[in-house]
């Protein structure tokens, strides 16, 4: 499945067109430094400058145009998935985007004013461009929906927590989940069999304890400010410091927010958030950079120790993100003194570890280590695309399961013995022409003519075997031809129905009642009823997907009997309106059904 994954931040956009079957990136795009003079765009391996100070909207336009430009060689995406940082308490899985979900996401922007708005802008732009494919949102918070209460709550009064939606949400969940899956594949173990500490060290950074497949603790909290030392964020701080700063003339809430989001962490300590430069300067004796490295690694090590304690042990420690993947020095420093856990690094493997598309998971642990130390390539775009492919496949197979074969009934008549005698001669036996799918019934070779006040319909097929009561089933169009008014009824429900004149080879007769327009219905056996979650006489809706004439039929009655085969019975008018015929399928509309 070809899925376009978009990952929008305030200053960058990453995009990938992923073929989920092979996991190949058919197209790889990145826009960096939005809003700056240095704004540039990378398509695959080639880079070019983008308009100076390009806005997010311009960046998105450039990305979507590139995707479109390459469609001839890559093919068109069948779905688009957007990374959304904050899903609040509402969104616990990757979710199909519709106007209602978008509205909810807009309300959630209050919780993540710096992170969600760019994603929402991307969603709007991409939906306008690709309005005919489904769009999904993948949430960084979703993986942490499993946090136990003891890890989720802050020690504040319950009313306050409720009034301000104060709780830990955790972030980077898309990649932490990806790391878990990648690690499990490497270990040839089920995710549910492992205790993993995933260290996502990028510009933003967080550690997650994943106990037997579930996130049980993570270092980012209500917002992405808590936890590790990051590129521009301080991570854990004594809240007393904030009061101290706010009391001074120099700080307002806005300034403090700006400092904690953009001017602290590595940048605050050293003037740069680029770990490569910090390592280089530290190597030259720069004290600030040495302190930054020490503080950074110390904090990671502290969390690893804490999380091993929380899980009662650890099987794998994984490093991911720009720093985690590329800095042998940081990994070395973070893992110092962890031998007591069984986490022993092989220094040579660590130094040589170099990830690429082919090697996306590298083992850097010493031979004797009890804990596997792995370097895993972060790949949010792949993780999001795989997630959507899984959802779409599940949906398709659910749809497959709910498929109902369509049978189209042309006008026909079930006649009683006395009526048959009048039309065909006494004792005439009907001759089966084709056997119907409902056992024992057949369409006969014999036909009759219907005669109404306005017109005649010839060649109306008889059904056998004869029934106790006459029943003639016609469509709305037939009613106009004949000049009659037949009520919409289920088979056998003949009280107060009008009659009609019939003509056969042996004579003519007028039946007193029994003329109906068949109410649409589904026949099924008890097993199908159970599988589809319906019972006899329920009313359901069925959807028909046909070229250009998609239609949902409401008021469809379910008929369950052991002898019935699964089949939706429509009349010719209904089938024509939906552009379908025998051999086509309808599907039950989930949640449409009303008990009888
Ligand atoms: P983001 O969180 O924005 O996705 P990344 O995961 O790309 O960020 O990580 C960016 C960080 O990775 C930067 O601090 C950068 O300095 C660091 N980084 C990239 N390559 C190296 C390297 N070879 N050695 C050390 N740090 C690196």
């Amino acid at each position: 499945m070809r899925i376009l994954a978009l990952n929008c931040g305030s200053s960058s956009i990453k995009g990938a067109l992923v073929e989920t079957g092979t996991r190949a990136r058919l197209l790889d795009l990145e826009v960096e430094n939005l809003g700056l003079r240095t704004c540039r765009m990378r398509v695959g391996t080639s880079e070019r400058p983008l308009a100076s100070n390009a806005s997010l909207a311009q960046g998105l336009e450039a990305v979507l145009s590139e995707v479109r430009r390459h469609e001839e060689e890559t093919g068109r995406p069948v779905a688009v998935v957007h990374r959304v940082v904050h899903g609040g308490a509402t969104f616990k899985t990757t979710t199909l985007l519709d106007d209602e979900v978008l509205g909810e996401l807009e309300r959630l922007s209050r919780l993540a004013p710096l992170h969600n708005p760019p994603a929402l802008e991307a969603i709007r732009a991409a939906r306008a461009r690709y309005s005919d494919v489904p769009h999904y949102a993948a949430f960084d918070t979703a993986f942490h929906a499993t946090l136990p209460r003891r890890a989720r709550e802050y020690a504040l009064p319950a009313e306050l927590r409720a009034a301000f939606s104060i709780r830990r949400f955790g972030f980077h969940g898309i990649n932490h989940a990806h790391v878990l899956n990648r690690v499990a594949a490497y270990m040839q173990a089920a995710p549910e069999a492992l205790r993993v500490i995933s260290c996502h060290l990028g510009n933003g950074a967080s550690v997650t304890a994943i106990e037997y497949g579930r996130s049980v603790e993570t270092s980012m909290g209500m917002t992405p400010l808590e936890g590790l030392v990051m590129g521009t964020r301080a991570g854990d701080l004594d809240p007393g410091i904030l009061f101290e700063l706010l009391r001074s003339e120099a700080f307002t809430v806005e300034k403090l927010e700006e400092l904690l989001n953009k001017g602290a962490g590595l940048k605050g300590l050293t003037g740069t958030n680029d770990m490569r430069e910090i390592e280089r300067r530290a190597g030259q004796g720069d004290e600030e950079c040495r302190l930054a490295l020490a503080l950074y690694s110390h904090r990671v090590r502290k969390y690893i120790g804490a999380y091993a304690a929380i899980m009662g042990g650890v099987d794998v420690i994984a490093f991911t993100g720009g720093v985690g993947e590329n800095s042998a020095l940081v990994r070395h420093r973070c893992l110092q003194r962890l031998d007591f856990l069984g986490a022993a690094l092989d220094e040579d493997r660590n130094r040589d570890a170099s990830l690429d598309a082919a090697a996306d998971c590298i083992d850097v642990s010493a031979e004797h280590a009890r804990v596997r130390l792995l370097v895993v390539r972060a790949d949010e775009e792949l993780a999001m695309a795989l997630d959507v492919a899984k959802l779409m496949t599940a949906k398709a197979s659910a749809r497959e399961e709910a498929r109902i074969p369509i049978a189209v009934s042309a006008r026909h008549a079930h006649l009683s013995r006395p009526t048959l005698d009048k039309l065909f001669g006494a004792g005439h036996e009907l001759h089966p022409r084709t056997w119907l799918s409902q056992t024992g019934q057949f369409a006969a070779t014999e036909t009759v003519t219907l005669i109404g006040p306005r017109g005649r319909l010839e060649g109306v097929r008889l059904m056998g075997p004869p029934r106790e009561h006459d029943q003639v089933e016609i469509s709305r169009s037939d009613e106009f031809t004949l000049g009659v008014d037949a009520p919409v009824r289920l088979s056998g429900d003949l009280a107060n129905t009008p009659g009609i004149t019939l003509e056969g080879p042996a004579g003519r007769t007028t039946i007193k009642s029994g003329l109906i327009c068949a109410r649409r219905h589904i026949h099924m056996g008890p097993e199908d009823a159970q599988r589809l979650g319906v019972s006899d006489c329920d009313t359901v809706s069925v959807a028909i997907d046909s070229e250009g004439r998609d239609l949902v039929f409401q008021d469809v009655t379910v008929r369950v009997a052991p002898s019935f085969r699964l089949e939706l019975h429509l009349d010719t008018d209904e089938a024509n309106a939906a552009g379908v015929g025998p051999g086509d399928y309808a599907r039950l509309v989930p949640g449409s059904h009303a008990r009888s």
Side-chain angles (χ1 to χ4, degrees):
M1 229 176 256
R2 245 179 342 269
I3 292 172
L4 175 63
L6 290 176
N7 180 351
C8 273
S10 53
S11 65
S12 70
I13 305 170
K14 288 183 197 162
L17 186 63
V18 179
E19 173 51 63
T20 56
T22 57
R23 301 182 171 217
R25 281 180 182 237
L26 306 176
L27 191 61
D28 198 20
L29 303 153
E30 191 168 2
V31 174
E32 277 186 331
N33 300 339
L34 283 168
L36 300 178
R37 269 194 306 120
T38 49
C39 184
R40 61 182 189 274
M41 175 162 185
R42 180 178 60 75
V43 182
T45 49
S46 70
E47 270 199 32
R48 65 178 156 88
L50 216 59
S52 178
N53 304 317
S55 65
L56 179 60
Q58 287 170 306
L60 280 165
E61 175 58 31
V63 165
L64 293 171
S65 300
E66 279 299 329
V67 177
R68 177 126 306 168
R69 207 166 64 78
H70 283 80
E71 269 174 16
E72 225 164 76
E73 67 196 74
T74 59
R76 212 164 179 268
V78 297
V80 184
V81 56
H82 302 264
R83 178 182 177 192
V84 178
V85 168
H86 215 312
T90 318
F91 298 105
K92 298 179 177 168
T93 51
T94 297
T95 304
L96 181 65
L97 281 163
D98 55 24
D99 292 339
E100 200 179 316
V101 171
L102 259 177
E104 183 62 28
L105 287 181
E106 256 149 36
R107 279 188 288 283
L108 276 175
S109 283
R110 185 183 60 82
L111 282 176
L114 299 175
H115 297 91
N116 275 18
L120 286 171
E121 196 171 333
I123 290 168
R124 278 188 224 103
R127 276 181 107 204
R129 229 358 134 80
Y130 288 102
S131 57
D132 56 336
V133 302
H135 290 242
Y136 289 83
F139 300 95
D140 271 309
T141 44
F143 183 57
H144 305 297
T146 52
L147 287 181
R149 285 191 71 191
R150 60 182 180 276
R152 196 176 72 202
E153 303 299 345
Y154 289 100
L156 290 169
E159 317 82 70
L160 257 187
R161 285 186 274 126
F164 291 88
S165 310
I166 295 174
R167 51 160 282 189
R168 306 168 61 78
F169 290 102
F171 298 88
H172 288 146
I174 297 167
N175 196 46
H176 285 304
H178 167 71
V179 166
L180 171 65
N181 288 327
R182 190 61 196 90
V183 161
Y186 175 80
M187 300 288 285
Q188 300 188 334
E192 296 76 22
L194 295 170
R195 290 165 300 180
V196 179
I197 297 177
S198 168
C199 308
H200 179 115
L201 311 179
N203 231 331
S206 70
V207 193
T208 295
I210 310 169
E211 187 177 7
Y212 304 127
R214 295 156 64 88
S215 165
V216 293
E217 185 50 285
T218 190
S219 60
M220 282 179 168
M222 173 157 163
T223 72
L225 283 175
E226 196 179 341
L228 300 178
V229 176
M230 305 178 218
T232 58
R233 293 173 231 155
D236 294 336
L237 281 177
D238 176 350
I241 298 168
L242 311 186
F243 304 138
E244 198 57 30
L245 294 176
L246 278 174
R247 273 192 218 107
S248 82
E249 295 280 295
F251 277 95
T252 58
V253 171
E254 288 72 29
K255 274 194 176 163
L256 196 53
E257 196 167 28
E258 172 86 8
L259 168 75
L260 294 180
N261 275 297
K262 298 193 176 143
L266 295 175
K267 178 123 193 235
L269 287 164
T270 67
T272 176
N273 57 339
D274 188 338
M275 186 58 94
R276 284 163 290 204
E277 188 180 336
I278 293 170
E279 286 184 19
R280 192 176 47 74
R281 278 168 36 191
Q284 293 164 350
D286 182 316
E287 274 310 317
E288 298 298 339
C289 288
R290 286 185 168 178
L291 172 66
L293 264 175
L295 233 163
Y296 188 99
S297 331
H298 169 78
R299 186 83 55 89
V300 175
R301 192 183 327 136
K302 189 163 104 176
Y303 271 96
I304 292 175
Y307 288 1
I310 280 170
M311 295 192 288
V314 53
D315 304 305
V316 177
I317 300 173
F319 288 86
T320 183
V323 178
E325 291 168 33
N326 296 302
S327 174
L329 178 69
V330 169
R331 290 194 297 266
H332 164 86
R333 302 278 294 255
C334 292
L335 292 166
Q336 270 176 336
R337 313 189 70 180
L338 292 182
D339 288 32
F340 78 98
L341 273 180
L345 191 66
D346 181 310
E347 297 295 350
D348 291 333
R349 285 187 190 167
N350 184 44
R351 209 170 307 114
D352 295 344
S354 171
L355 294 171
D356 55 37
D360 61 349
C361 176
I362 296 176
D363 194 333
V364 292
S365 32
E367 234 32 90
H368 66 277
R370 274 180 287 118
V371 174
R372 286 289 108 193
L373 306 175
L374 302 178
V375 184
V376 179
R377 195 176 191 219
D379 199 339
E380 272 127 351
E381 292 78 37
L382 174 68
M384 294 195 293
L386 289 176
D387 213 21
V388 165
K390 209 158 86 184
L391 281 178
M392 289 179 74
T393 310
K395 221 171 173 184
S397 68
R399 197 179 290 161
E400 190 73 9
E401 286 229 316
R403 264 177 17 140
I404 303 167
I406 295 173
V408 182
S409 308
R411 62 187 83 97
H412 62 274
H414 305 267
L415 298 182
S416 63
R417 190 67 260 168
T419 309
L420 268 176
D421 287 349
K422 282 178 202 146
L423 297 177
F424 290 88
H428 179 85
E429 289 294 340
L430 291 175
H431 299 90
R433 181 173 181 252
T434 44
W435 290 93
L436 303 184
S437 58
Q438 307 307 325
T439 37
Q441 304 227 30
F442 60 87
T445 51
E446 288 84 348
T447 60
V448 294
T449 300
L450 301 183
I451 302 166
R454 188 186 298 151
R456 300 160 62 92
L457 283 169
E458 294 184 356
V460 177
R461 182 80 46 207
L462 294 190
M463 298 292 140
R467 288 193 178 175
E468 197 173 334
H469 300 287
D470 296 311
Q471 179 173 309
V472 178
E473 300 180 33
I474 58 174
S475 70
R476 274 272 175 266
S477 305
D478 296 339
E479 290 175 39
F480 298 128
T481 309
L482 295 169
V484 295
D485 195 6
V488 176
R489 290 287 178 83
L490 281 174
S491 179
D493 179 11
L494 303 176
N496 302 319
T497 53
I500 182 91
T501 301
L502 303 154
E503 192 176 73
R508 193 187 262 214
T509 184
T510 299
I511 57 172
K512 293 270 170 301
S513 64
L515 182 70
I516 63 169
C517 180
R519 184 183 162 94
R520 43 189 175 253
H521 56 280
I522 308 173
H523 284 205
M524 64 181 79
E527 273 179 13
D528 281 321
Q530 196 178 16
R531 180 173 63 82
L532 295 169
V534 295
S535 324
D536 192 32
C537 296
D538 284 354
T539 301
V540 297
S541 299
V542 296
I544 293 178
D545 306 313
S546 64
E547 286 291 307
R549 303 207 95 183
D550 286 1
L551 199 62
V552 173
F553 284 116
Q554 301 181 341
D555 295 332
V556 183
T557 303
V558 172
R559 301 314 314 257
V560 184
S563 63
F564 285 171
R565 281 240 310 267
L566 184 64
E567 211 165 56
L568 167 67
H569 286 199
L570 299 177
D571 71 17
T572 41
D573 280 0
E574 292 165 329
N576 290 340
V580 289
D584 288 325
Y585 290 86
R587 63 186 160 80
L588 205 61
V589 176
S592 69
H593 108 255
R595 291 270 172 232
S596 54

